[in-house]
Amino acid sequence: MEKKVITEGTLRSGEKVFVNDYVYVAAPWEKRDPVPYSIGRIIEFLSPDDTSAAPRGSESGRANNPGLRARMAWFYRPHDVQDKGVGDHRLLLAALFSEIVPFSHVRGKCIVRHRDKIADLNAYKKKDDRFYFHQLFDPFTKDQYEVILSTEIHNLPAHIKDVLVSRYEFVVCEREAIPDLQDNLRLCETCGDWCPGPESVMCELCKRHYHMECVNPPLLSKPSRGYGWSCASCNNKRENKDLEVVTSKSRQGKDLAIVAAKARAKARANAKLDEENERFWKGWSFRYFGQYTVAEDTLDPDDMIYVRAPTRIGPKFQVIPAPTPEGPRTDPDLPVRGDDSTVEIMSTFVHMSEEDCEKAERRKNVLTARRDLLHNVDWLEEVVRRFSEAWLKKQSIYSVNMRKPLCVRAFSDGKEVRYRDRDWSEVEDSIFDESVRKHHSELRHVRADIKTRTMPEIVRHFGHWKAQQLLFKSLDPPEVPKTVVTNDDNTSIYGRNDRRVFTCAVCRTKESESWWKAPRNLFTNSMCDECGILWRKYAIKSARNDREKEVVSSKVHSHYGTPEPPTTRSGAANAKAASYAAERQKREGTPAAGPANKKLRLASGTSTPLRLVCSLCRKSGSQGSIVKCGACGFTIHAGCVGVPPEDTTTAWLCEICSNEQTQESNLDPRCALCPPQPADRKKGAKDASFLRAAKPTEFRGWVHILCSTYNNQLEYTDARRMRLVEGIVSIPKRNYTQRCSCCNGADGCVSQCEQCLTMFHPVCAWNHGFKFGIEFAPVKPSQRKDFPTVEFRGEVGVMSAVILCDNHGGAPLGNGKKIYELCDVDERGRTALQVFTETYKQAQNSESTYGLLLYGNE
């Protein structure tokens, strides 16, 4: 009977999934780590092992039975294979790696396209369930490779290119191999045949190509990296000083980088997303065709498509000893390899007669009274060895006994060793079981818990224990097959009858149609409907501005200096809060949006400009130099929060209040560098309201201005506005492992005192009253070209942000150095923090940073 091919499956929602569809895949929540969905492509459907217990499908190839499986071609997310953060959540890495999973793990369909097949990438990424890739990660070589269209390869003979293009949509190659593949067809100037890259050389003067064996004399290898080669004709012309560089026909003066860029642009311009079907050969749309591929092997339909690495055979990797003058060294006392003295005979049952084998079997059953030893591998191995020794010595089989627990192994210098480990006591077994449940297969930790056993004994016991667990599992009654569920409704969504009050761990909302289980290390163990889907599909752990929520600002945390989680209010409550805020603005004199030259009027009726008090330095100033948030009333010098003069004439909102309206970043403005529980404030410490001054990061998180200023790795995309903090991923790991001298905690990023080795969190140092300032060191005119200098209060020098602990806060400074407060201003009205930030905190190449790309695309 011909085997029926399954061509499609049906999800629980009724949506059909076909071969070569891209899908989300995830095991049930209890059986997987709390990680986002995996993304893969269905190569084929596999029928269940036992079809008798499964429901029958329809006659059109449709399958709904619980045992259906699918072979998946996986895609990786960038953070799965590299430590460096990637801000684009739609970017994937392809892989030449497949795996079989149950069809019940499929959660839904998505679309994955190559970057060159997308005409408008920004518009493509704004659509739901859209992903793209342009590189491949190989899990065996641990390296990334470029994926290019097979039609862009031109340096190939016509018969090889036709086969390659007809089978595969893309090819995988190294980055340095792309110019050679996309170049025009290279022909040998001597024989006229095609010049493969590994077998040919190019003249650096005339740019012509030659086979290494076609030149005279033939070349044994290519020139080393950094060296060039020139042909005989160019050498003669150079000697006669009559050299005229001739451009090869294959290049014709074109820059390969420009050619490749134009080819990609042309491919995007002609891209068709849904109308064009990809080409697959044996389930794959790409194959490796790089530096270590023989082009002619592509014609073989069974050629290996996987990534290849250079050979490790040769003098570069193996030692070739030089021959000795007296010939090979021989020692009569050393055994000869393969001799009987170098081989340990474990069994001779293949040479024994059938009668002797039956006698050995009967004798084995009476050698021990313990029935468990009859199935013990170590005991059986020793029994077979002793039977074999007795047969070789022509002794009786019945003379063998197992009373002696020791034996002499070959190559052990005659020492007797135990052939089987001594029995484990009940105490050792209980400790082992508990340790394995805790540490799993990390046997080093298990060895630390069991002091009475050596590492080899623990390894052997772990193997026996696993075999025993499999035996117990096989003896259990078979489970009744459950109904197929192809989404997370039964595993990672809280039931609708759950009466608990949930709070989203990301956006802090308390209203949602359904609640999803959240991953570890978050504020709560639940996510709202939108945040749960965003995290599972796109691995986003921050609130997006895809929806509009009505949130209100609330009081400031006493520890974090950030507002409490916002709650959703009714329409009447929102109207009441808005009227109260308007009345408070009118009472406190907060300016409304209007002409810049219109004077503000006080309650007394005078025309004197309003003077505000900075919450940082407690000094008063005019409305332009000090700004006040129209929502929460936070006041601060404009230069200390990155507010340019042109923005001080309108109603100003702090970053946290502004984000509650735009929702560009996470609605939880907790600092990413501060510890969970900072040190308590001491008497005499500065006002904690300055900790409300926070800035969004490149990955939609938050960082205090205080923490970003006193961390050398952090910079701003726009230093003038202190907008988008960058460089969090570049902070050394040791900064997160040092213990704070104030809170005695090891969580969070620490800084160091300028004059000693005291480590502390900036927020803890602020609560303890440490001295924060901007150090100014004058620079001589002859040395100013070597440093990025600034002019402040009539002096030219360099600035640096410093924190001084209690022991050095009042220590005098030498060499004319000064420490300015953060709010100290110069004759131009600029604060010290503003001058330092604009000079030393501007990110390099900010035009291509993730922050500007992110907000520029939206």
Side-chain angles (χ1 to χ4, degrees):
M1 182 178 180
E2 184 179 356
K3 184 178 179 180
K4 189 174 182 179
V5 178
I6 302 176
T7 59
E8 66 181 57
T10 305
L11 302 180
R12 185 175 182 269
S13 60
E15 185 179 17
K16 291 184 178 181
V17 179
F18 301 91
V19 175
N20 293 327
D21 279 350
Y22 297 91
V23 294
Y24 299 108
V25 182
W29 185 265
E30 295 81 4
K31 297 182 180 180
R32 76 172 190 261
D33 292 335
V35 295
Y37 288 157
S38 300
I39 298 177
R41 178 179 57 84
I42 299 178
I43 299 179
E44 61 176 341
F45 289 104
L46 302 175
S47 60
D49 296 333
D50 186 9
T51 58
S52 59
R56 295 181 182 272
S58 63
E59 297 179 358
S60 60
R62 177 179 171 182
N64 287 328
N65 50 65
L68 181 64
R69 298 168 297 162
R71 185 184 300 275
M72 307 297 303
W74 291 120
F75 287 84
Y76 294 106
R77 300 183 192 266
H79 63 77
D80 295 336
V81 299
Q82 61 188 17
D83 296 332
K84 184 179 179 181
V86 177
D88 195 346
H89 301 283
R90 305 300 184 98
L91 178 63
L92 301 177
L93 295 174
L96 280 167
F97 174 69
S98 63
E99 201 171 23
I100 298 176
V101 299
F103 182 71
S104 59
H105 292 181
V106 177
R107 307 301 177 193
K109 296 175 65 173
C110 61
I111 296 177
V112 182
R113 292 286 184 267
H114 190 272
R115 185 179 62 184
D116 293 345
K117 307 283 282 186
I118 303 173
D120 188 353
L121 184 60
N122 293 333
Y124 176 82
K125 292 194 295 183
K126 290 181 180 179
K127 299 180 181 179
D128 294 335
D129 303 321
R130 298 295 198 276
F131 301 89
Y132 74 99
F133 71 98
H134 63 90
Q135 287 183 323
L136 177 140
F137 176 79
D138 185 65
F140 302 101
T141 61
K142 308 296 183 184
D143 202 356
Q144 296 184 17
Y145 300 84
E146 296 294 323
V147 181
I148 61 176
L149 293 170
S150 59
T151 54
E152 295 181 2
I153 299 179
H154 307 292
N155 185 21
L156 271 180
H159 66 288
I160 298 179
K161 181 181 178 180
D162 293 343
V163 173
L164 185 66
V165 173
S166 63
R167 293 177 181 174
Y168 302 99
E169 186 78 15
F170 311 98
V171 295
V172 181
C173 62
E174 297 83 358
R175 182 187 296 271
E176 54 270 18
I178 293 180
D180 293 337
L181 294 176
Q182 294 183 343
D183 195 6
N184 292 334
L185 184 62
R186 297 174 178 176
L187 301 178
C188 178
E189 296 291 336
T190 302
C191 64
D193 293 337
W194 174 59
C195 290
E199 303 174 5
S200 61
V201 291
M202 181 186 69
C203 177
E204 292 296 332
L205 299 178
C206 65
K207 307 301 180 183
R208 293 188 176 95
H209 295 271
Y210 299 86
H211 288 114
M212 290 192 295
E213 58 184 16
C214 290
V215 299
N216 189 16
L219 295 178
L220 299 179
S221 62
K222 284 190 170 186
S224 302
R225 180 173 297 180
Y227 294 88
W229 175 85
S230 58
C231 61
S233 177
C234 293
N235 284 334
N236 295 333
K237 292 180 181 180
R238 182 167 52 184
E239 292 177 358
N240 298 331
K241 297 183 180 181
D242 188 22
L243 178 62
E244 179 181 358
V245 178
V246 181
T247 304
S248 174
K249 295 181 181 180
S250 62
R251 298 202 178 217
Q252 298 179 356
K254 294 182 180 180
D255 187 2
L256 291 180
I258 299 178
V259 173
K262 290 182 177 179
R264 289 181 179 272
K266 183 178 178 181
R268 295 193 189 102
N270 300 329
K272 296 181 181 180
L273 297 181
D274 301 325
E275 292 81 8
E276 184 177 356
N277 295 324
E278 295 183 6
R279 295 183 296 276
F280 296 92
W281 178 258
K282 296 185 177 180
W284 296 98
S285 62
F286 43 77
R287 61 153 294 157
Y288 175 73
F289 196 85
Q291 294 178 335
Y292 309 107
T293 301
V294 180
E296 287 75 9
D297 293 345
T298 310
L299 303 176
D300 184 3
D302 297 326
D303 185 41
M304 185 179 69
I305 65 173
Y306 301 102
V307 174
R308 305 173 189 178
T311 178
R312 292 189 175 271
I313 299 177
K316 184 177 179 181
F317 303 98
Q318 281 82 31
V319 176
I320 301 178
T324 56
E326 61 275 7
R329 184 179 303 175
T330 57
D331 189 350
D333 298 332
L334 291 178
V336 181
R337 174 177 292 184
D339 194 21
D340 292 342
S341 58
T342 62
V343 177
E344 181 181 11
I345 299 177
M346 301 299 297
S347 173
T348 59
F349 272 66
V350 293
H351 303 290
M352 295 169 61
S353 62
E354 185 177 353
E355 181 182 358
D356 292 337
C357 292
E358 293 177 356
K359 291 180 181 179
E361 181 67 23
R362 290 194 298 268
R363 180 60 178 172
K364 180 204 69 171
N365 296 329
V366 299
L367 287 178
T368 179
R370 294 176 52 180
R371 310 312 300 173
D372 59 320
L373 289 182
L374 294 177
H375 306 283
N376 185 277
V377 176
D378 298 328
W379 187 85
L380 290 173
E381 181 180 325
E382 181 62 20
V383 168
V384 172
R385 193 186 65 83
R386 294 189 182 187
F387 278 146
S388 301
E389 287 185 353
W391 184 80
L392 290 174
K393 297 178 181 179
K394 297 183 179 181
Q395 297 177 356
S396 174
I397 297 296
Y398 296 99
S399 63
V400 176
N401 62 79
M402 301 297 294
R403 290 190 293 269
K404 189 176 181 180
L406 302 177
C407 65
V408 179
R409 292 290 190 187
F411 321 115
S412 60
D413 299 332
K415 296 180 180 179
E416 291 186 340
V417 295
R418 295 184 63 91
Y419 65 85
R420 190 176 67 87
D421 295 335
R422 55 186 176 87
D423 295 335
W424 286 56
S425 63
E426 294 182 0
V427 176
E428 291 175 332
D429 276 332
S430 61
I431 297 176
F432 179 84
D433 292 340
E434 182 179 357
S435 182
V436 168
R437 282 195 300 269
K438 181 179 179 181
H439 304 293
H440 303 285
S441 59
E442 295 291 336
L443 299 184
R444 292 174 297 175
H445 303 296
V446 178
R447 169 67 180 84
D449 295 340
I450 304 178
K451 307 293 185 181
T452 57
R453 294 288 178 171
T454 62
M455 192 64 185
E457 290 179 316
I458 291 177
V459 172
R460 288 191 291 267
H461 188 69
F462 181 73
H464 297 320
W465 176 84
K466 286 186 65 176
Q468 189 178 29
Q469 297 299 319
L470 293 175
L471 177 62
F472 292 158
K473 187 176 181 180
S474 63
L475 297 177
D476 292 339
E479 297 182 358
V480 178
K482 299 180 181 179
T483 307
V484 181
V485 178
T486 56
N487 60 17
D488 273 353
D489 287 348
N490 68 327
T491 57
S492 66
I493 295 182
Y494 291 103
R496 297 187 179 274
N497 297 327
D498 200 326
R499 299 299 182 183
R500 288 178 292 177
V501 178
F502 294 102
T503 301
C504 180
V506 178
C507 66
R508 302 303 180 88
T509 184
K510 294 184 178 180
E511 294 184 359
S512 178
E513 294 183 0
S514 58
W515 291 97
W516 299 71
K517 296 180 181 178
R520 296 187 293 264
N521 302 326
L522 289 183
F523 173 69
T524 62
N525 58 355
S526 60
M527 283 183 172
C528 66
D529 200 6
E530 182 177 358
C531 294
I533 294 176
L534 287 176
W535 177 75
R536 280 160 173 77
K537 289 185 176 181
Y538 312 111
I540 297 177
K541 283 187 180 180
S542 59
R544 299 293 299 272
N545 57 353
D546 299 334
R547 58 176 177 174
E548 295 183 358
K549 292 183 179 179
E550 292 184 0
V551 293
V552 295
S553 58
S554 54
K555 296 182 179 180
V556 176
H557 279 298
S558 59
H559 287 294
Y560 301 112
T562 53
E564 295 178 354
T567 57
T568 305
R569 294 182 176 178
S570 62
N574 284 326
K576 183 177 181 180
S579 63
Y580 174 76
E583 181 67 23
R584 186 178 61 180
Q585 291 177 4
K586 181 178 180 181
R587 182 174 64 252
E588 296 181 358
T590 304
N597 56 357
K598 187 175 181 179
K599 294 184 179 181
L600 299 173
R601 300 180 60 186
L602 297 180
S604 60
T606 63
S607 60
T608 305
L610 179 66
R611 298 185 66 84
L612 303 175
V613 178
C614 176
S615 61
L616 174 58
C617 62
R618 310 308 300 174
K619 296 179 182 179
S620 62
S622 62
Q623 177 69 29
S625 61
I626 298 178
V627 293
K628 181 177 181 179
C629 178
C632 65
F634 173 59
T635 57
I636 190 69
H637 272 91
C640 293
V641 289
V643 181
E646 59 268 20
D647 292 347
T648 59
T649 59
T650 59
W652 176 75
L653 293 176
C654 66
E655 292 285 352
I656 296 176
C657 294
S658 176
N659 182 70
E660 290 177 354
Q661 298 180 5
T662 61
Q663 298 188 19
E664 293 177 349
S665 299
N666 197 335
L667 290 179
D668 178 15
R670 188 177 306 182
C671 179
L673 303 182
C674 290
Q677 294 295 333
D680 296 332
R681 294 185 68 248
K682 286 187 175 182
K683 185 177 181 179
K686 294 185 178 181
D687 193 351
S689 60
F690 178 61
L691 298 179
R692 184 172 177 80
K695 292 292 180 177
T697 67
E698 55 185 334
F699 299 125
R700 303 182 184 274
W702 291 90
V703 169
H704 289 136
I705 291 181
L706 189 72
C707 299
S708 61
T709 301
Y710 293 93
N711 194 304
N712 297 331
Q713 284 77 23
L714 300 186
E715 296 175 332
Y716 293 103
T717 301
D718 184 3
R720 186 168 177 263
R721 298 178 181 270
M722 295 185 186
R723 188 65 177 160
L724 283 183
V725 181
E726 295 188 351
I728 293 180
V729 295
S730 63
I731 298 177
K733 292 184 178 179
R734 62 176 180 273
N735 289 18
Y736 293 96
T737 59
Q738 300 287 340
R739 191 169 294 276
C740 174
S741 60
C742 299
C743 68
N744 200 29
D747 296 330
C749 181
V750 298
S751 299
Q752 183 177 341
C753 175
E754 183 67 18
Q755 298 187 10
C756 65
L757 299 179
T758 304
M759 309 298 292
F760 40 72
H761 300 119
V763 64
C764 297
W766 185 266
N767 291 337
H768 272 224
F770 288 5
K771 186 172 182 178
F772 286 74
I774 304 297
E775 183 183 79
F776 182 88
V779 178
K780 298 179 181 180
S782 59
Q783 299 177 351
R784 291 176 184 176
K785 61 180 181 180
D786 300 331
F787 305 97
T789 58
V790 298
E791 183 178 355
F792 193 78
R793 291 188 176 181
E795 294 182 291
V796 178
V798 294
M799 282 184 167
S800 60
V802 297
I803 307 177
L804 300 177
C805 64
D806 286 338
N807 298 329
H808 301 93
L813 302 176
N815 299 328
K817 295 182 179 180
K818 303 176 184 179
I819 294 183
Y820 292 106
E821 297 291 338
L822 300 180
C823 292
D824 288 347
V825 297
D826 61 359
E827 61 279 358
R828 298 168 55 185
R830 302 179 303 169
T831 64
L833 177 58
Q834 178 184 0
V835 175
F836 168 77
T837 302
E838 292 181 0
T839 308
Y840 301 99
K841 285 289 187 178
Q842 176 63 47
Q844 300 296 325
N845 300 326
S846 60
E847 294 182 356
S848 60
T849 56
Y850 165 71
L852 289 185
L853 293 176
L854 172 67
Y855 291 96
N857 294 338
E858 299 180 352

